[in-house]
Amino acid sequence: MRLPLKFSNTNISIASAVFIFYSLYYMKFHAFIAVCFAMIFGLMVYMVFKKNPFLSEFLSSFYKNKFKIIFYGFSLIFGLVHLRNYEISYSNIFWVSIIIAPFFLSALIYGYIRMRYSIKESIIMHSLYNLILFMSTKI
């Protein structure tokens, strides 16, 4: 999740909707239901920001003052989300930090690209990285 690294009502609303979608979808909700709930939730978040400018100003100020925490927090979330790609059990829970380390480091790189350039370049870099990994499994 690199979109909400730059604070705006729209970015936070979209990121909230995406988070709700993935949460519901991974809990085995039907994709259509997950999309519907995500869109409703995203619109509700957007409307709350529009109706309450104080909240938007507060979060904008929080972002400016605590950006490092937000940046590293989203990078950690990015790594944790990718745990879904693995079968984690109590017997191998020790390896979680080793499993998420490459994802966390790549999230730091993508986050830097997001902040320095744009979300488009960050997504392109992520896609190229995934393509290289995918192609390496086909060789």
Side-chain angles (χ1 to χ4, degrees), residues 46-53:
Y46 186 78
M47 294 302 289
V48 166
F49 280 126
K50 281 296 190 191
K51 296 288 183 184
N52 191 350

Side-chain angles (χ1 to χ4, degrees), residues 46-129:
Y46 186 78
M47 294 302 289
V48 166
F49 280 126
K50 281 296 190 191
K51 296 288 183 184
N52 191 350
F54 172 76
L55 179 61
S56 182
E57 291 170 15
F58 171 77
L59 283 177
S60 179
S61 174
F62 181 79
Y63 259 66
K64 289 176 187 163
N65 295 330
K66 305 290 184 189
F67 182 74
K68 286 182 180 179
I69 294 171
I70 291 168
F71 184 84
Y72 290 115
F74 276 119
S75 295
L76 181 61
I77 290 169
F78 181 85
L80 291 172
V81 164
H82 283 82
L83 281 176
R84 181 95 171 115
N85 299 338
Y86 301 92
E87 301 237 356
I88 305 296
S89 66
Y90 289 111
S91 63
N92 62 4
I93 196 95
F94 170 76
W95 300 105
V96 167
S97 60
I98 293 170
I99 292 170
I100 69 167
F103 296 111
F104 178 73
L105 293 174
S106 64
L108 294 176
I109 294 167
Y110 302 143
Y112 173 79
I113 293 169
R114 161 67 171 129
M115 297 308 295
R116 181 82 165 98
Y117 301 103
S118 75
I119 188 70
K120 182 175 75 172
E121 281 82 0
S122 179
I123 291 171
I124 289 170
M125 288 301 295
H126 189 177
S127 299
L128 287 173
Y129 179 76

Side-chain angles (χ1 to χ4, degrees), residues 37-51:
F37 274 104
M39 289 175 61
I40 291 168
F41 187 79
L43 287 171
M44 288 173 46
V45 169
Y46 186 78
M47 294 302 289
V48 166
F49 280 126
K50 281 296 190 191
K51 296 288 183 184

